[in-house]
Amino acid sequence: MYDHRRLGRELDLFDTDPLMGAGLPYWLPDGAIVRHELEEYVRELERAEGYRHVYSPVLGKRELYEISGHWSHYSEDMFPPMKLGGEEVVLRPSLCPHHALIYRSRSHSYRELPLRIAELGGMYRSELSGVLGGLTRVRAIQLNDAHIFCTLDQAVEEARTALNLITRAYADLGIRASRHRLSLPGEGGKYVADPALWRRATAMLREVLDGSGIAYESAEGEAAFYGPKIDVQIADAAGREATLSTVQIDFHQPERFDLHYIGADGAKHRPVMVHRSVIGSVERAVAHLVEEHGGAFPAWLAPVQMVVLPVSEAQAGPAYDLVERALAQGLRAEVSAEGSLGARIRAARLVPYQAVIGEREAAGDLVAVRLRDGRRIEPLAPAELLHRVAARVEARGAALWADA
């Protein structure tokens, strides 16, 4: 059983400091590599699906969240307002109000819809100290978020496509969903009071789930304050469950922000807002990946992808030459030359590729290759080795090797 908090510190991925505060981890260089690769993967995935990326500020006027409904329904989870001249500003607890304003800033025709806006952006939650833990529950969150503005007739298909995108990403990342949940409102006043819109949005999400053939459970009291949602749940080795990804259909915020598009009839119409997050919180996603893989990340995510091991000092020259060539090809490689060969191999046990250069290999301009899973590959020319490794990294799969 792996604990990402212990592994994260052992592998120098992230840490915390009391002077920064609880729930505010910082990323060390190796952890920053994992995070960066994950973020770039998501951006490429979204671009290929027609998303357009934006940046928006982490602050907003209190009035913005009064309009969105966050202030009346969610303020207990928000940090207190800060005085700024005669105004009050707050750290945002969500990106959707900012994206609604971005949509509203330009007029839109029905021909432009669906309009898919995505962002990897910061948001902040005023979590109590008792619930904070490692990367899974933090106060400063980097969220993979997107909002699709579409017609009513497009909403179900957009939500279904978003759910398929989540499934694809999980396959690429080696993440397994523990279950899918249709999160519905419960008792109490934390939900927007509009029964007709709740019924409509719930029926549409049920249509998405039923059409996708995905088994799911309904859970009252787990909805967002403005609408129901599909939650994709993950579980750690101890069986503790958390939400990683979501798909939501929202009629509330388009109404609150008076969003519209010009239809084929020349009249104004209200769009539907589909919220979706493929990997959710980057922090929680990395925590799960650490535990899922035990620190032995897929080659494309690994902080060090290849370690080069000269058997003796006499092979140091070819070893450093190989690393230089690997770096020039965009691979993350380093030389390990201190200590016995056996000790160095054990120290590099989580590195996907170990390239050993002994006297025989140096004489023949070859490299002996050990894979992390224990396999040994026949000695290869450096150019061939780098070609093979680069192809595996570019494929972003779980397999370490493939036949030529």
Side-chain angles (χ1 to χ4, degrees):
M1 182 184 300
Y2 298 112
D3 184 330
H4 82 277
R5 294 167 296 184
R6 178 181 58 80
L7 271 178
R9 287 168 173 81
E10 288 179 2
L11 301 177
D12 287 334
L13 300 178
F14 69 91
D15 213 331
T16 58
D17 191 294
L19 284 177
M20 291 188 189
L24 299 170
Y26 58 85
W27 297 80
L28 295 162
D30 281 356
I33 288 172
V34 176
R35 171 174 166 167
H36 175 80
E37 291 295 328
L38 183 60
E39 290 176 350
E40 286 305 300
Y41 163 77
V42 170
R43 286 192 182 98
E44 289 182 21
L45 189 70
E46 290 172 336
R47 280 194 293 268
E49 293 296 319
Y51 287 85
R52 305 187 70 183
H53 290 93
V54 299
Y55 290 105
S56 58
V58 298
L59 290 171
K61 291 171 63 174
R62 171 175 164 171
E63 181 185 359
L64 172 61
Y65 302 101
E66 290 174 342
I67 293 172
S68 71
H70 285 83
W71 192 255
S72 58
H73 295 281
Y74 201 76
S75 57
E76 68 274 12
D77 294 305
M78 297 170 63
F79 282 97
M82 295 172 278
K83 297 288 184 180
L84 191 62
E87 299 176 340
E88 288 187 333
V89 297
V90 295
L91 288 165
R92 66 179 176 191
S94 174
L95 279 68
C96 42
H98 288 73
H99 288 188
L101 293 184
I102 290 173
Y103 177 88
R104 196 175 73 174
S105 69
R106 303 287 187 276
S107 62
H108 300 280
S109 162
Y110 71 97
R111 295 184 179 90
E112 299 174 60
L113 305 185
L115 178 63
R116 306 179 185 100
I117 294 175
E119 182 176 2
L120 273 157
M123 68 180 199
Y124 298 83
R125 300 279 172 88
S126 181
E127 302 278 15
L128 298 176
S129 298
V131 302
L132 300 173
L135 295 178
T136 55
R137 200 76 177 261
V138 294
R139 289 171 170 159
I141 302 164
Q142 191 75 7
L143 187 69
N144 158 235
D145 205 10
H147 298 91
I148 304 162
F149 301 90
C150 60
T151 68
L152 180 62
D153 291 342
Q154 294 168 335
V156 167
E157 183 58 30
E158 287 300 312
R160 181 181 293 118
T161 300
L163 188 59
N164 291 340
L165 197 62
I166 292 168
T167 301
R168 176 182 164 187
Y170 279 32
D172 288 347
L173 295 167
I175 294 175
R176 291 167 291 178
S178 59
R179 66 185 177 111
H180 289 71
R181 183 177 76 190
L182 177 60
S183 295
L184 303 171
E187 298 296 326
K190 77 171 189 175
Y191 303 102
V192 171
D194 197 325
L197 292 185
W198 280 94
R199 285 193 296 271
R200 175 184 277 186
T202 300
M204 294 171 79
L205 290 180
R206 286 193 188 279
E207 183 179 347
V208 170
L209 287 164
D210 292 340
S212 299
I214 294 174
Y216 66 95
E217 302 169 11
S218 298
E220 293 187 0
E222 298 294 339
F225 72 84
Y226 49 79
K229 56 194 175 89
I230 297 170
D231 287 324
V232 184
Q233 303 295 103
I234 56 170
D236 65 13
R240 293 182 293 259
E241 194 176 79
T243 301
L244 186 62
S245 312
T246 63
V247 179
Q248 307 166 37
I249 291 179
D250 179 9
F251 295 101
H252 171 72
Q253 291 192 66
E255 181 77 26
R256 298 280 291 190
F257 285 102
D258 191 26
L259 305 184
H260 62 266
Y261 65 91
I262 304 302
D265 58 0
K268 290 183 178 181
H269 297 269
R270 188 79 68 203
V272 178
M273 196 170 173
V274 177
H275 306 236
R276 59 103 282 220
S277 184
V278 172
I279 60 165
S281 155
V282 173
E283 289 80 10
R284 182 171 289 178
V286 172
H288 189 70
L289 287 168
V290 170
E291 295 186 353
E292 186 73 22
H293 299 292
F297 296 106
W300 64 277
L301 272 175
V304 178
Q305 294 165 325
M306 178 190 297
V307 63
V308 183
L309 303 150
V311 173
S312 70
E313 189 176 344
Q315 292 87 46
Y320 282 100
D321 287 343
L322 180 58
V323 166
E324 188 174 335
R325 293 173 65 176
L327 295 174
Q329 291 195 29
L331 298 173
R332 296 185 290 274
E334 60 184 38
V335 172
S336 175
E338 298 295 326
S340 70
L341 180 62
R344 285 181 281 148
I345 288 173
R346 288 191 295 273
R349 67 191 182 282
L350 297 180
V351 177
Y353 305 100
Q354 299 176 0
V356 180
I357 302 178
E359 184 177 349
R360 183 183 304 172
E361 288 79 20
D365 192 25
L366 297 171
V367 181
V369 184
R370 294 168 176 259
L371 304 184
R372 181 175 57 203
D373 58 15
R375 284 180 288 166
R376 298 191 182 193
I377 308 300
E378 288 295 318
L380 296 170
E384 178 65 14
L385 169 61
L386 296 179
H387 171 75
R388 297 281 196 97
V389 172
R392 289 291 86 209
V393 169
E394 186 178 352
R396 283 190 170 129
L400 290 176
W401 203 250
D403 294 332

